[in-house]
Amino acid sequence: MTETKCLIIGGGPAGYTAAIYMARAAVSAILLEGIQPGGQLTTTTTIENFPGFPAGVDGTQLVSDMRQQVINVGGDVRQGSVTSIDLSSRPFVATLDSGEQIAAATVIVATGARAKYLGLADEQKYAGLGVSACATCDGFFYRRKTVAVVGGGDTACEEAHYLSQLASKVYMIVRKDYLRASAAMRERVEQTPNIEILYNCNTEGLYGDGGVEGAHLVRRRGEPGEERFDLPIDGFFLAIGHQPATDFLAGQVELDQAGYIVTAPHSTATSVPGVFAAGDVANPDYRQAIAAAGDGCRAALDAQKFLSRE
Ligand code: NDP
């Protein structure tokens, strides 16, 4: 069994920052990157609100540079997902998808949050065949095609705008009669000629032979004037919010109703001494790379204090 002073779970801004602080403090730590190294930043385009980049920075480049920085300061970055973890006694023991086990004196959970789906059977049926929750990852395949983005928040607007530069037409499927997104984002999509917003619409299913060819929509569901219609599209992008990646912690660490890790006020400490949480997995309010990176720093310092007290 591999042993470490600190197991950092998650390869996003929170995890990478925690790993940089651990390496620079000469505390042995292993950072585990899951199946999507870089996390949500790899699904965004230019980031203009991360200080230090006056001209903006590409999201994928930013996390790839963070990862390289971990390695440059002597950090140990490994691939693998934690399938289960025993936090009932110390050292904590994590079991990875490879079957390997890691015993850790402390754990920093920085697993982030993942995209939500509507829960339609067709989303699974057409997974990888026209259904996606990541415009930056998959937009390339829809050049000069027609796509739809579900959602009316900032993510949906950002994804729709990104796709509008590749696809010939982008529909936004919005269940209310307004966009929840910030004014700047709203304006951006409203002023983009090839984005059309379909208000008061819900998706009931998808259709197509071998791949998505369209969506079954309903306008004003359950209201007078309810109307069902089909929207021919080649790609269906989900942008309806996120779910924290905490399934593997259920029953061991205190989670809130939505599944986010509960931390002590002004601390990254969780309900289990020696286990800390950083980034979106514990913080549904901010969801910003800079906030996650800040949390990663705090978690590393909290873990270091914990270890030095032992
Ligand atoms: P939000 O929760 O803000 O928005 C989710 C959207 O999806 C809403 O329009 C919601 O509709 C809709 N929705 C949810 N469930 C369903 C469903 N079952 N069917 C149809 N529509 C559904 O999530 P976001 O991911 O957009 O944003 C999360 C946070 O991150 C926000 O605070 C946002 O401001 C921030 N953010 C900031 C960015 C930036 O500043 N550049 C970029 C991206 C995100 P309804 O309104 O009806 O609930």
Side-chain angles (χ1 to χ4, degrees):
M1 181 160 355
T2 309
E3 291 181 8
T4 184
K5 290 277 183 210
C6 182
L7 175 63
I8 302 164
I9 310 172
Y16 291 136
T17 306
I20 291 167
Y21 273 78
M22 283 309 204
R24 294 193 77 257
V27 179
S28 94
I30 294 171
L31 181 143
L32 275 183
E33 293 176 326
I35 45 171
Q36 194 190 357
Q40 294 175 81
L41 278 192
T42 58
T43 69
T44 190
T45 47
T46 304
I47 296 169
E48 294 175 337
N49 52 13
F50 199 99
F53 299 92
V57 58
D58 177 79
T60 305
Q61 187 62 46
L62 179 62
V63 274
S64 139
D65 285 347
M66 288 179 183
R67 183 182 193 277
Q68 189 57 47
Q69 195 169 339
V70 177
I71 293 164
N72 292 353
V73 295
D76 184 349
V77 179
R78 302 188 191 184
Q79 302 274 319
S81 296
V82 175
T83 50
S84 66
I85 190 162
D86 183 355
L87 302 177
S88 60
S89 60
R90 279 190 280 143
F92 307 121
V93 177
T95 304
L96 313 193
D97 48 356
S98 61
E100 188 195 344
Q101 291 197 307
I102 299 177
T106 59
V107 170
I108 294 175
V109 183
T111 45
R114 69 173 78 87
K116 279 188 191 165
Y117 285 77
L118 294 171
L120 302 171
D122 286 341
E123 287 169 321
Q124 285 176 15
K125 180 175 168 190
Y126 294 105
L129 298 169
V131 172
S132 169
C134 174
T136 318
C137 315
D138 300 324
F140 182 80
F141 302 113
Y142 299 94
R143 281 169 300 163
R144 294 179 290 281
K145 293 192 172 175
T146 300
V147 298
V149 176
V150 186
D154 281 319
T155 303
C157 290
E158 204 168 57
E159 304 265 274
H161 186 259
Y162 176 77
L163 288 166
S164 73
Q165 295 162 355
L166 295 165
S168 51
K169 174 88 184 182
V170 180
Y171 293 100
M172 290 184 73
I173 304 172
V174 181
R175 66 179 173 183
K176 293 209 171 117
D177 60 359
Y178 62 90
L179 294 173
R180 180 200 286 211
S182 57
M185 287 298 217
R186 281 202 309 266
E187 235 168 73
R188 204 170 174 193
V189 294
E190 281 163 4
Q191 288 174 3
T192 303
N194 63 338
I195 297 179
E196 183 176 338
I197 307 172
L198 304 175
Y199 290 107
N200 299 307
C201 283
N202 278 284
T203 310
E204 302 215 305
L206 301 168
Y207 61 88
D209 255 350
V212 170
E213 290 174 15
H216 302 299
L217 302 190
V218 53
R219 186 178 276 126
R220 301 192 187 284
R221 183 159 62 188
E223 292 174 32
E226 177 183 275
E227 177 199 351
R228 287 194 155 66
F229 63 102
D230 286 347
L231 183 71
I233 49 168
D234 305 295
F236 184 75
F237 287 81
L238 283 307
I240 60 166
H242 293 82
Q243 178 73 37
T246 51
D247 289 354
F248 70 108
L249 297 170
Q252 301 206 69
V253 172
E254 187 185 351
L255 306 177
D256 71 11
Q257 281 190 332
Y260 288 89
I261 298 175
V262 175
T263 50
H266 310 298
S267 165
T268 61
T270 70
S271 59
V272 179
V275 178
F276 304 88
D280 285 11
V281 76
N283 197 337
D285 298 325
Y286 299 106
R287 290 190 183 287
Q288 297 298 305
I290 188 68
D295 279 356
C297 160
R298 295 165 64 229
L301 296 179
D302 287 345
Q304 287 167 25
K305 268 187 222 144
F306 180 88
L307 287 165
S308 61
R309 273 202 306 266
E310 290 276 288

